[in-house]
Amino acid sequence: MISLSLWNNVFIGGTLLFTLVMMGKPRLPAMLRAFGLSSICLAGLIVTSSLMHGEEQPYTIAVVNILFKAVLAPSILLYAARKAHASMSLKFYLRPTATYFAALLVLVASVFISMHLQEIPYLSIALVLLGLLFMIVRKDLYSQIMGFMVMENGIAVYGVLMIGGFPFMLETGILFVVITGAILMAILSRHVQELYATGDTESLTELTE
Amino acid sequence: MSILFSFLLLSAASAYVLRTEKQIRMSALLFAILAGGSLFVVSVCALFGNVLVPVGAWLGADLYTWFMTALVSFVYITATIASVRYVGEESREQLLTKDKVQLYFFSVPLFILAMLISVFANHLGVLWIGLEGTTLTTTLLVALYRKDASIEAAWKFILLCSIGIGLGMIGILMFIHTGIVDGLNVFDAFSYSALREHATAFSTSSVKLAFIFILVGVGTKVGFVPMHTWLPDAHSKTPSPISALLSGLLLNVAFYVLLRFKSITDLALGDASWSNHLMMGFGLLSVVIAALFLLQQRNYKRMLAYSSVEHMALMGIASGLGPVGMLALTIHAVFHTLAKSSLFFMAGEILLSQKTTKISGVKNLMKHYPITASLFVLGILAIIAVPPSGLFTSEFMIVGAALQTQIWFALVLLISLSVIAFSMLKSTTALVYTNADETAHEKAERHAETWTLTHGVVIVQLVLIVVLGLLITTTKAVDFFTTISKSI
């Protein structure tokens, strides 16, 4: 039981660490790799938490998680970017060092929030806020998609840590919906790339009042 | 129910099986009449208590569910009829290629299915999948024309709605966690009816926090200010029959989901005043902002979209005004759906004839297209609650109930509604009655107006608005709607 708890903490740390690493990556393949590693840690967290909650077979859900979030989603995004001849260099408002500093502030804020709102686990708050921060500090479409995916990881963490995971059918359904969202965003980002010859969200300014 | 749901899947599949564009449109119409008609009959029978319909283990149905199903199935049929005409015309003009027509008629039944799943879901995971499904099935419809603005609108739509539904999911999970802490097993904790049954024992602080997440998350989908920014863009850039579905149905469906969680929250807190204040606050803010944006509106589809923000806001206010408000909300949902979908159908006709959504670009509408112009004006009169539109009854009840709670609140509401009515009438007058000289090219391009299926659909809906608007004042109708509104 002690070792299971230890592994649980390792995976919690890994999920957070690789998300932080992702936030400073200036190139798309490196960003996707870091997200993939973070999702693999999340799958590990699903296994350890489910075992600690008394579940006997959490492995299928973990494998499906890895397949969808660590393999499919990054591959689809990379394929869409290459197909649209998009630049692999990502665009940002904040340079990586400043982004890390902002992320640190978010982590500190998450500690305070989780101390006051004990209904929400620290990792979940941190991932949701880091996802939102990532969408704000980056101005390319791919980073925005990854920000959304990080947020989704935060929601999944809530389910795992507070509820002990979802039933298999439901987890697969949710993952299917999330991956469909990522595919649609990839399709749209390809159209934006073709229309504006850039993946910069600053080019999307036609619809203003 | 699964048989009826499978009709929708068959309809979606047929879009990619059939060969010609005309076959695809006709098949979509056939399936809409078959699936929508059957659903409508079943839901009306259920509403009048004649049948008990089994809906499956993960689904559930109360009277309000059947009420929403009746609305969804009715507008599904009318929107498909309008789509057959609209898509046919745009294909003829080569604005839509066959693959886009396929995508259109593939997405519409799936969108309806996602809405029905959201309405029927008793399992909260299924509910979330249904809600997110409504976003996913319509994203490519918003981007259908592949132009700069439509792609931008689609991007905002999927990103903001997905984030919103994500936040809503946190709220849903918090409700489930509260249920588990209270002693429910995991399967029961995912069940809406079980949560409702045990709500009185829930921790109030957890429930409050969960409801705030759901209000912000699902409120994004409803179009509450300040989470509304996707709505005018998405509703104005989609093909008009889809705008009708988004404005007339999707917002109502999302609002229904919000109401279900409000009812659990009220039960848990033992008093509705906390959630009432939140709903009324968001509602009033949304009405005021919608009024300000409508004042300077230059695009008639965006004008209709902001009008939807206003009407959802009115429903938000109504939901915070107790039993009278809930009755007004139920009546409002029916008439807003009928009036707004009619207006978007007519906006589609205007767009087909004038090739622009800018009010200043529309010329001689009443002169050359009198049927479309007249029906649009009648729709506007209905939506700004001119009697005998049923919206007059519901808004009268909302303002009356608001006057009894806070006079300043009712005054701000009345002023905002007056500004909205004035702005919409002013814009409509400019849209319909602006006469200008046409160039030789414009004259050559213009075709004489002919009677279309869409005109027929809109006339039926306007007649329903008037007839039901008169009926709604009778005691029997009030009792009927009161029973429905109490079932949430």
Side-chain angles (χ1 to χ4, degrees), chain B residues 337-397:
Chain B
T337 299
L338 290 174
K340 190 53 62 63
S341 53
S342 303
L343 278 167
F344 270 115
F345 294 154
M346 281 304 96
E349 289 295 309
I350 296 172
L351 181 58
L352 285 177
S353 64
Q354 306 284 320
K355 312 282 180 261
T356 179
T357 54
K358 286 185 180 156
I359 292 171
S360 58
V362 176
K363 295 171 188 169
N364 309 318
L365 194 68
M366 189 57 96
K367 192 171 161 192
H368 298 308
Y369 301 92
I371 307 171
T372 302
S374 306
L375 292 177
F376 190 82
V377 171
L378 288 173
I380 289 289
L381 292 175
I383 207 81
I384 61 170
V386 171
S389 162
L391 288 172
F392 174 77
T393 312
S394 60
E395 291 187 18
F396 187 78
M397 289 163 82

Short mmCIF file of all heavy atoms in Angstrom, two decimals, chain B residues 337-397:
data_model
loop_
_atom_site.label_atom_id
_atom_site.label_comp_id
_atom_site.label_asym_id
_atom_site.label_seq_id
_atom_site.Cartn_x
_atom_site.Cartn_y
_atom_site.Cartn_z
N THR B 337 -38.88 30.08 -29.14
CA THR B 337 -38.46 29.09 -30.14
C THR B 337 -39.18 29.31 -31.47
O THR B 337 -38.56 29.33 -32.53
CB THR B 337 -38.73 27.66 -29.61
OG1 THR B 337 -37.97 27.48 -28.42
CG2 THR B 337 -38.36 26.60 -30.61
N LEU B 338 -40.50 29.49 -31.38
CA LEU B 338 -41.28 29.65 -32.61
C LEU B 338 -40.91 30.95 -33.33
O LEU B 338 -40.69 30.97 -34.54
CB LEU B 338 -42.78 29.65 -32.29
CG LEU B 338 -43.38 28.31 -31.85
CD1 LEU B 338 -44.83 28.48 -31.42
CD2 LEU B 338 -43.30 27.29 -32.98
N ALA B 339 -40.83 32.06 -32.56
CA ALA B 339 -40.59 33.36 -33.19
C ALA B 339 -39.16 33.46 -33.72
O ALA B 339 -38.94 33.92 -34.85
CB ALA B 339 -40.86 34.48 -32.18
N LYS B 340 -38.18 33.00 -32.92
CA LYS B 340 -36.78 33.18 -33.35
C LYS B 340 -36.46 32.30 -34.54
O LYS B 340 -35.75 32.72 -35.46
CB LYS B 340 -35.85 32.88 -32.17
CG LYS B 340 -34.39 33.25 -32.37
CD LYS B 340 -34.16 34.67 -32.82
CE LYS B 340 -34.61 35.75 -31.89
NZ LYS B 340 -33.94 35.78 -30.62
N SER B 341 -36.99 31.06 -34.55
CA SER B 341 -36.70 30.22 -35.72
C SER B 341 -37.35 30.81 -36.97
O SER B 341 -36.73 30.81 -38.04
CB SER B 341 -37.14 28.77 -35.47
OG SER B 341 -38.47 28.73 -35.07
N SER B 342 -38.57 31.36 -36.84
CA SER B 342 -39.21 32.00 -38.00
C SER B 342 -38.35 33.14 -38.52
O SER B 342 -38.16 33.29 -39.73
CB SER B 342 -40.57 32.58 -37.60
OG SER B 342 -41.39 31.60 -37.08
N LEU B 343 -37.84 33.94 -37.60
CA LEU B 343 -37.03 35.09 -38.01
C LEU B 343 -35.75 34.65 -38.72
O LEU B 343 -35.35 35.25 -39.72
CB LEU B 343 -36.69 35.95 -36.78
CG LEU B 343 -37.80 36.91 -36.36
CD1 LEU B 343 -37.53 37.47 -34.98
CD2 LEU B 343 -37.96 38.03 -37.36
N PHE B 344 -35.11 33.60 -38.21
CA PHE B 344 -33.88 33.15 -38.89
C PHE B 344 -34.20 32.53 -40.25
O PHE B 344 -33.42 32.67 -41.19
CB PHE B 344 -33.10 32.18 -37.99
CG PHE B 344 -32.10 32.88 -37.11
CD1 PHE B 344 -32.24 32.87 -35.74
CD2 PHE B 344 -31.02 33.57 -37.66
CE1 PHE B 344 -31.31 33.53 -34.92
CE2 PHE B 344 -30.09 34.22 -36.86
CZ PHE B 344 -30.24 34.21 -35.48
N PHE B 345 -35.36 31.84 -40.35
CA PHE B 345 -35.74 31.31 -41.67
C PHE B 345 -35.89 32.47 -42.66
O PHE B 345 -35.45 32.40 -43.80
CB PHE B 345 -37.06 30.53 -41.60
CG PHE B 345 -36.98 29.26 -40.77
CD1 PHE B 345 -38.13 28.74 -40.15
CD2 PHE B 345 -35.79 28.58 -40.61
CE1 PHE B 345 -38.07 27.59 -39.40
CE2 PHE B 345 -35.72 27.41 -39.85
CZ PHE B 345 -36.87 26.91 -39.24
N MET B 346 -36.54 33.55 -42.20
CA MET B 346 -36.74 34.70 -43.09
C MET B 346 -35.43 35.43 -43.35
O MET B 346 -35.20 35.95 -44.44
CB MET B 346 -37.76 35.67 -42.47
CG MET B 346 -39.20 35.25 -42.64
SD MET B 346 -39.66 34.98 -44.37
CE MET B 346 -39.47 33.25 -44.58
N ALA B 347 -34.55 35.46 -42.34
CA ALA B 347 -33.22 36.06 -42.55
C ALA B 347 -32.50 35.30 -43.67
O ALA B 347 -31.79 35.91 -44.48
CB ALA B 347 -32.42 36.02 -41.26
N GLY B 348 -32.71 33.99 -43.71
CA GLY B 348 -32.11 33.18 -44.77
C GLY B 348 -32.66 33.58 -46.13
O GLY B 348 -31.91 33.68 -47.12
N GLU B 349 -33.98 33.82 -46.20
CA GLU B 349 -34.59 34.24 -47.47
C GLU B 349 -34.03 35.60 -47.90
O GLU B 349 -33.77 35.83 -49.08
CB GLU B 349 -36.12 34.33 -47.32
CG GLU B 349 -36.81 32.99 -47.19
CD GLU B 349 -36.66 32.15 -48.45
OE1 GLU B 349 -36.95 32.63 -49.54
OE2 GLU B 349 -36.23 30.97 -48.31
N ILE B 350 -33.86 36.50 -46.92
CA ILE B 350 -33.31 37.83 -47.24
C ILE B 350 -31.88 37.67 -47.77
O ILE B 350 -31.49 38.28 -48.77
CB ILE B 350 -33.34 38.76 -46.00
CG1 ILE B 350 -34.78 39.00 -45.56
CG2 ILE B 350 -32.65 40.09 -46.30
CD1 ILE B 350 -34.92 39.75 -44.23
N LEU B 351 -31.11 36.82 -47.11
CA LEU B 351 -29.72 36.61 -47.52
C LEU B 351 -29.65 36.01 -48.93
O LEU B 351 -28.82 36.41 -49.75
CB LEU B 351 -29.02 35.70 -46.50
CG LEU B 351 -27.55 35.39 -46.74
CD1 LEU B 351 -26.72 36.67 -46.79
CD2 LEU B 351 -27.00 34.49 -45.64
N LEU B 352 -30.57 35.08 -49.21
CA LEU B 352 -30.57 34.47 -50.55
C LEU B 352 -30.86 35.51 -51.63
O LEU B 352 -30.29 35.47 -52.72
CB LEU B 352 -31.63 33.35 -50.62
CG LEU B 352 -31.30 32.03 -49.92
CD1 LEU B 352 -32.48 31.07 -50.03
CD2 LEU B 352 -30.06 31.37 -50.51
N SER B 353 -31.76 36.46 -51.31
CA SER B 353 -32.14 37.44 -52.33
C SER B 353 -31.18 38.63 -52.39
O SER B 353 -30.93 39.17 -53.45
CB SER B 353 -33.56 37.94 -52.08
OG SER B 353 -33.62 38.63 -50.85
N GLN B 354 -30.62 39.03 -51.25
CA GLN B 354 -29.82 40.26 -51.21
C GLN B 354 -28.31 40.00 -51.14
O GLN B 354 -27.52 40.92 -51.30
CB GLN B 354 -30.22 41.10 -49.99
CG GLN B 354 -31.70 41.42 -49.91
CD GLN B 354 -32.11 42.51 -50.89
OE1 GLN B 354 -31.40 43.48 -51.08
NE2 GLN B 354 -33.27 42.34 -51.51
N LYS B 355 -27.93 38.79 -50.84
CA LYS B 355 -26.50 38.39 -50.79
C LYS B 355 -25.68 39.17 -49.76
O LYS B 355 -24.48 39.34 -49.92
CB LYS B 355 -25.82 38.55 -52.16
CG LYS B 355 -26.58 37.97 -53.32
CD LYS B 355 -26.43 36.47 -53.39
CE LYS B 355 -27.19 35.88 -54.55
NZ LYS B 355 -28.47 35.31 -54.21
N THR B 356 -26.32 39.69 -48.75
CA THR B 356 -25.59 40.38 -47.69
C THR B 356 -26.35 40.26 -46.37
O THR B 356 -27.57 40.12 -46.38
CB THR B 356 -25.36 41.87 -48.02
OG1 THR B 356 -24.65 42.48 -46.94
CG2 THR B 356 -26.66 42.63 -48.24
N THR B 357 -25.59 40.33 -45.28
CA THR B 357 -26.26 40.34 -43.97
C THR B 357 -26.21 41.74 -43.36
O THR B 357 -26.69 41.94 -42.25
CB THR B 357 -25.59 39.34 -42.99
OG1 THR B 357 -24.21 39.63 -42.94
CG2 THR B 357 -25.80 37.91 -43.40
N LYS B 358 -25.62 42.70 -44.12
CA LYS B 358 -25.58 44.07 -43.60
C LYS B 358 -26.91 44.75 -43.88
O LYS B 358 -27.44 44.68 -45.00
CB LYS B 358 -24.45 44.84 -44.28
CG LYS B 358 -23.10 44.44 -43.77
CD LYS B 358 -22.02 45.30 -44.38
CE LYS B 358 -20.66 44.85 -43.84
NZ LYS B 358 -19.57 45.20 -44.71
N ILE B 359 -27.42 45.44 -42.87
CA ILE B 359 -28.71 46.12 -43.02
C ILE B 359 -28.60 47.17 -44.13
O ILE B 359 -29.50 47.31 -44.97
CB ILE B 359 -29.14 46.75 -41.68
CG1 ILE B 359 -29.46 45.64 -40.67
CG2 ILE B 359 -30.36 47.67 -41.86
CD1 ILE B 359 -29.68 46.10 -39.25
N SER B 360 -27.49 47.88 -44.17
CA SER B 360 -27.34 48.96 -45.16
C SER B 360 -27.22 48.41 -46.59
O SER B 360 -27.45 49.13 -47.55
CB SER B 360 -26.10 49.79 -44.83
OG SER B 360 -24.97 48.94 -44.82
N GLY B 361 -26.90 47.13 -46.72
CA GLY B 361 -26.76 46.56 -48.06
C GLY B 361 -28.07 46.06 -48.64
O GLY B 361 -28.15 45.71 -49.83
N VAL B 362 -29.12 46.00 -47.82
CA VAL B 362 -30.41 45.48 -48.29
C VAL B 362 -31.23 46.62 -48.89
O VAL B 362 -31.42 47.65 -48.25
CB VAL B 362 -31.19 44.83 -47.12
CG1 VAL B 362 -32.56 44.37 -47.56
CG2 VAL B 362 -30.39 43.66 -46.55
N LYS B 363 -31.67 46.42 -50.13
CA LYS B 363 -32.41 47.49 -50.81
C LYS B 363 -33.78 47.00 -51.27
O LYS B 363 -33.91 45.88 -51.74
CB LYS B 363 -31.62 47.95 -52.05
CG LYS B 363 -30.29 48.60 -51.74
CD LYS B 363 -29.53 48.81 -53.05
CE LYS B 363 -28.12 49.27 -52.77
NZ LYS B 363 -27.30 49.23 -53.99
N ASN B 364 -34.75 47.87 -51.16
CA ASN B 364 -36.09 47.66 -51.73
C ASN B 364 -36.71 46.30 -51.35
O ASN B 364 -37.33 45.64 -52.18
CB ASN B 364 -36.05 47.76 -53.26
CG ASN B 364 -35.36 49.02 -53.71
OD1 ASN B 364 -35.58 50.09 -53.14
ND2 ASN B 364 -34.52 48.91 -54.73
N LEU B 365 -36.54 45.90 -50.13
CA LEU B 365 -37.01 44.57 -49.72
C LEU B 365 -38.53 44.46 -49.80
O LEU B 365 -39.06 43.51 -50.38
CB LEU B 365 -36.50 44.25 -48.31
CG LEU B 365 -36.63 42.79 -47.90
CD1 LEU B 365 -35.69 41.90 -48.70
CD2 LEU B 365 -36.34 42.59 -46.41
N MET B 366 -39.21 45.44 -49.21
CA MET B 366 -40.68 45.37 -49.21
C MET B 366 -41.23 45.51 -50.63
O MET B 366 -42.26 44.91 -50.97
CB MET B 366 -41.24 46.47 -48.29
CG MET B 366 -42.73 46.37 -48.04
SD MET B 366 -43.23 44.78 -47.34
CE MET B 366 -43.26 45.12 -45.60
N LYS B 367 -40.51 46.27 -51.45
CA LYS B 367 -40.99 46.52 -52.82
C LYS B 367 -40.88 45.25 -53.67
O LYS B 367 -41.82 44.87 -54.35
CB LYS B 367 -40.14 47.64 -53.41
CG LYS B 367 -40.65 48.24 -54.69
CD LYS B 367 -39.81 49.47 -55.00
CE LYS B 367 -39.93 49.87 -56.45
NZ LYS B 367 -38.91 50.87 -56.79
N HIS B 368 -39.72 44.62 -53.62
CA HIS B 368 -39.48 43.48 -54.51
C HIS B 368 -39.72 42.12 -53.87
O HIS B 368 -39.92 41.13 -54.57
CB HIS B 368 -38.05 43.53 -55.04
CG HIS B 368 -37.77 44.76 -55.86
ND1 HIS B 368 -38.57 45.15 -56.90
CD2 HIS B 368 -36.79 45.70 -55.76
CE1 HIS B 368 -38.10 46.26 -57.43
NE2 HIS B 368 -37.02 46.63 -56.74
N TYR B 369 -39.64 42.05 -52.55
CA TYR B 369 -39.84 40.76 -51.85
C TYR B 369 -40.86 40.94 -50.73
O TYR B 369 -40.54 40.81 -49.55
CB TYR B 369 -38.50 40.25 -51.29
CG TYR B 369 -37.45 40.06 -52.34
CD1 TYR B 369 -36.55 41.09 -52.66
CD2 TYR B 369 -37.36 38.86 -53.05
CE1 TYR B 369 -35.60 40.93 -53.65
CE2 TYR B 369 -36.41 38.70 -54.04
CZ TYR B 369 -35.54 39.73 -54.35
OH TYR B 369 -34.60 39.57 -55.33
N PRO B 370 -42.09 41.27 -51.09
CA PRO B 370 -43.09 41.62 -50.06
C PRO B 370 -43.44 40.49 -49.10
O PRO B 370 -43.69 40.74 -47.92
CB PRO B 370 -44.31 42.04 -50.88
CG PRO B 370 -44.11 41.44 -52.22
CD PRO B 370 -42.64 41.36 -52.45
N ILE B 371 -43.43 39.23 -49.59
CA ILE B 371 -43.81 38.13 -48.69
C ILE B 371 -42.74 37.99 -47.59
O ILE B 371 -43.06 37.97 -46.39
CB ILE B 371 -43.95 36.78 -49.46
CG1 ILE B 371 -44.88 36.93 -50.64
CG2 ILE B 371 -44.43 35.68 -48.54
CD1 ILE B 371 -44.91 35.72 -51.57
N THR B 372 -41.48 37.92 -48.02
CA THR B 372 -40.38 37.77 -47.06
C THR B 372 -40.35 38.95 -46.09
O THR B 372 -40.25 38.76 -44.87
CB THR B 372 -39.03 37.69 -47.82
OG1 THR B 372 -39.09 36.59 -48.72
CG2 THR B 372 -37.86 37.53 -46.88
N ALA B 373 -40.46 40.17 -46.64
CA ALA B 373 -40.38 41.37 -45.79
C ALA B 373 -41.52 41.39 -44.78
O ALA B 373 -41.31 41.67 -43.59
CB ALA B 373 -40.41 42.62 -46.66
N SER B 374 -42.74 41.08 -45.24
CA SER B 374 -43.90 41.13 -44.32
C SER B 374 -43.76 40.09 -43.21
O SER B 374 -44.02 40.37 -42.04
CB SER B 374 -45.20 40.86 -45.08
OG SER B 374 -45.29 41.74 -46.15
N LEU B 375 -43.34 38.88 -43.60
CA LEU B 375 -43.19 37.83 -42.59
C LEU B 375 -42.09 38.18 -41.59
O LEU B 375 -42.20 37.90 -40.40
CB LEU B 375 -42.89 36.48 -43.25
CG LEU B 375 -44.04 35.88 -44.07
CD1 LEU B 375 -43.62 34.58 -44.74
CD2 LEU B 375 -45.27 35.64 -43.20
N PHE B 376 -41.02 38.84 -42.09
CA PHE B 376 -39.94 39.25 -41.18
C PHE B 376 -40.46 40.28 -40.19
O PHE B 376 -40.19 40.19 -38.98
CB PHE B 376 -38.75 39.81 -41.98
CG PHE B 376 -37.52 40.02 -41.15
CD1 PHE B 376 -36.66 38.96 -40.88
CD2 PHE B 376 -37.21 41.26 -40.62
CE1 PHE B 376 -35.52 39.14 -40.10
CE2 PHE B 376 -36.08 41.45 -39.83
CZ PHE B 376 -35.23 40.38 -39.58
N VAL B 377 -41.23 41.25 -40.70
CA VAL B 377 -41.78 42.29 -39.81
C VAL B 377 -42.70 41.65 -38.76
O VAL B 377 -42.62 41.98 -37.56
CB VAL B 377 -42.56 43.36 -40.63
CG1 VAL B 377 -43.32 44.30 -39.71
CG2 VAL B 377 -41.60 44.14 -41.51
N LEU B 378 -43.55 40.72 -39.20
CA LEU B 378 -44.45 40.05 -38.24
C LEU B 378 -43.65 39.28 -37.19
O LEU B 378 -44.00 39.29 -36.00
CB LEU B 378 -45.40 39.09 -38.98
CG LEU B 378 -46.49 39.77 -39.83
CD1 LEU B 378 -47.26 38.73 -40.64
CD2 LEU B 378 -47.45 40.55 -38.93
N GLY B 379 -42.57 38.64 -37.63
CA GLY B 379 -41.70 37.92 -36.69
C GLY B 379 -41.07 38.86 -35.68
O GLY B 379 -41.00 38.54 -34.48
N ILE B 380 -40.64 40.03 -36.16
CA ILE B 380 -40.03 41.01 -35.25
C ILE B 380 -41.07 41.50 -34.23
O ILE B 380 -40.78 41.61 -33.03
CB ILE B 380 -39.45 42.21 -36.05
CG1 ILE B 380 -38.20 41.78 -36.81
CG2 ILE B 380 -39.16 43.41 -35.15
CD1 ILE B 380 -36.98 41.50 -35.96
N LEU B 381 -42.30 41.74 -34.71
CA LEU B 381 -43.35 42.17 -33.77
C LEU B 381 -43.60 41.10 -32.71
O LEU B 381 -43.81 41.40 -31.53
CB LEU B 381 -44.64 42.48 -34.53
CG LEU B 381 -44.58 43.72 -35.45
CD1 LEU B 381 -45.87 43.86 -36.25
CD2 LEU B 381 -44.32 44.99 -34.65
N ALA B 382 -43.54 39.84 -33.15
CA ALA B 382 -43.75 38.74 -32.18
C ALA B 382 -42.62 38.68 -31.18
O ALA B 382 -42.84 38.52 -29.98
CB ALA B 382 -43.87 37.40 -32.93
N ILE B 383 -41.37 38.86 -31.66
CA ILE B 383 -40.22 38.68 -30.76
C ILE B 383 -40.08 39.86 -29.78
O ILE B 383 -39.55 39.69 -28.69
CB ILE B 383 -38.91 38.46 -31.57
CG1 ILE B 383 -37.90 37.65 -30.75
CG2 ILE B 383 -38.21 39.76 -31.95
CD1 ILE B 383 -38.11 36.21 -30.74
N ILE B 384 -40.58 41.04 -30.16
CA ILE B 384 -40.51 42.15 -29.20
C ILE B 384 -41.78 42.18 -28.32
O ILE B 384 -42.05 43.18 -27.66
CB ILE B 384 -40.25 43.52 -29.86
CG1 ILE B 384 -41.37 43.89 -30.84
CG2 ILE B 384 -38.89 43.58 -30.53
CD1 ILE B 384 -41.28 45.32 -31.34
N ALA B 385 -42.53 41.09 -28.37
CA ALA B 385 -43.64 40.86 -27.44
C ALA B 385 -44.83 41.79 -27.67
O ALA B 385 -45.49 42.21 -26.73
CB ALA B 385 -43.17 40.97 -25.99
N VAL B 386 -45.14 42.04 -28.94
CA VAL B 386 -46.36 42.80 -29.23
C VAL B 386 -47.54 41.82 -29.19
O VAL B 386 -47.47 40.77 -29.83
CB VAL B 386 -46.26 43.47 -30.63
CG1 VAL B 386 -47.59 44.08 -31.05
CG2 VAL B 386 -45.16 44.52 -30.62
N PRO B 387 -48.61 42.11 -28.44
CA PRO B 387 -49.74 41.17 -28.39
C PRO B 387 -50.33 40.99 -29.79
O PRO B 387 -50.27 41.92 -30.58
CB PRO B 387 -50.74 41.85 -27.46
CG PRO B 387 -50.03 43.02 -26.88
CD PRO B 387 -48.82 43.31 -27.67
N PRO B 388 -50.87 39.84 -30.11
CA PRO B 388 -51.16 38.68 -29.25
C PRO B 388 -50.02 37.67 -29.16
O PRO B 388 -50.30 36.51 -28.83
CB PRO B 388 -52.37 38.08 -29.94
CG PRO B 388 -52.14 38.33 -31.39
CD PRO B 388 -51.42 39.63 -31.48
N SER B 389 -48.79 38.05 -29.45
CA SER B 389 -47.68 37.10 -29.28
C SER B 389 -47.65 36.62 -27.83
O SER B 389 -47.80 37.42 -26.90
CB SER B 389 -46.36 37.80 -29.64
OG SER B 389 -45.28 37.07 -29.11
N GLY B 390 -47.42 35.32 -27.66
CA GLY B 390 -47.37 34.75 -26.31
C GLY B 390 -46.24 35.34 -25.48
O GLY B 390 -46.25 35.26 -24.24
N LEU B 391 -45.23 35.92 -26.17
CA LEU B 391 -44.12 36.53 -25.43
C LEU B 391 -44.60 37.72 -24.61
O LEU B 391 -44.00 38.08 -23.60
CB LEU B 391 -43.00 36.96 -26.39
CG LEU B 391 -42.21 35.80 -27.01
CD1 LEU B 391 -41.26 36.31 -28.08
CD2 LEU B 391 -41.43 35.04 -25.96
N PHE B 392 -45.71 38.35 -25.08
CA PHE B 392 -46.27 39.46 -24.29
C PHE B 392 -46.72 38.92 -22.93
O PHE B 392 -46.43 39.51 -21.88
CB PHE B 392 -47.43 40.11 -25.04
CG PHE B 392 -48.15 41.15 -24.22
CD1 PHE B 392 -47.59 42.41 -24.04
CD2 PHE B 392 -49.36 40.86 -23.60
CE1 PHE B 392 -48.22 43.37 -23.26
CE2 PHE B 392 -50.00 41.82 -22.82
CZ PHE B 392 -49.43 43.08 -22.65
N THR B 393 -47.42 37.80 -22.97
CA THR B 393 -47.92 37.21 -21.71
C THR B 393 -46.76 36.87 -20.78
O THR B 393 -46.78 37.22 -19.60
CB THR B 393 -48.72 35.91 -22.01
OG1 THR B 393 -49.63 36.19 -23.06
CG2 THR B 393 -49.45 35.40 -20.80
N SER B 394 -45.73 36.18 -21.34
CA SER B 394 -44.62 35.75 -20.47
C SER B 394 -43.85 36.95 -19.93
O SER B 394 -43.51 37.00 -18.75
CB SER B 394 -43.70 34.78 -21.21
OG SER B 394 -43.16 35.40 -22.34
N GLU B 395 -43.59 37.94 -20.80
CA GLU B 395 -42.81 39.11 -20.34
C GLU B 395 -43.62 39.95 -19.35
O GLU B 395 -43.07 40.52 -18.40
CB GLU B 395 -42.34 39.96 -21.53
CG GLU B 395 -41.29 39.21 -22.34
CD GLU B 395 -40.64 40.05 -23.44
OE1 GLU B 395 -40.74 41.28 -23.40
OE2 GLU B 395 -40.05 39.43 -24.35
N PHE B 396 -44.93 40.00 -19.57
CA PHE B 396 -45.81 40.71 -18.63
C PHE B 396 -45.72 40.06 -17.25
O PHE B 396 -45.62 40.73 -16.21
CB PHE B 396 -47.25 40.67 -19.16
CG PHE B 396 -48.22 41.51 -18.36
CD1 PHE B 396 -48.26 42.89 -18.54
CD2 PHE B 396 -49.07 40.93 -17.43
CE1 PHE B 396 -49.14 43.67 -17.80
CE2 PHE B 396 -49.95 41.70 -16.69
CZ PHE B 396 -49.99 43.08 -16.88
N MET B 397 -45.73 38.72 -17.25
CA MET B 397 -45.63 37.98 -15.98
C MET B 397 -44.27 38.21 -15.32
O MET B 397 -44.18 38.38 -14.10
CB MET B 397 -45.84 36.48 -16.21
CG MET B 397 -47.27 36.12 -16.54
SD MET B 397 -47.37 34.48 -17.27
CE MET B 397 -47.36 33.50 -15.81
#
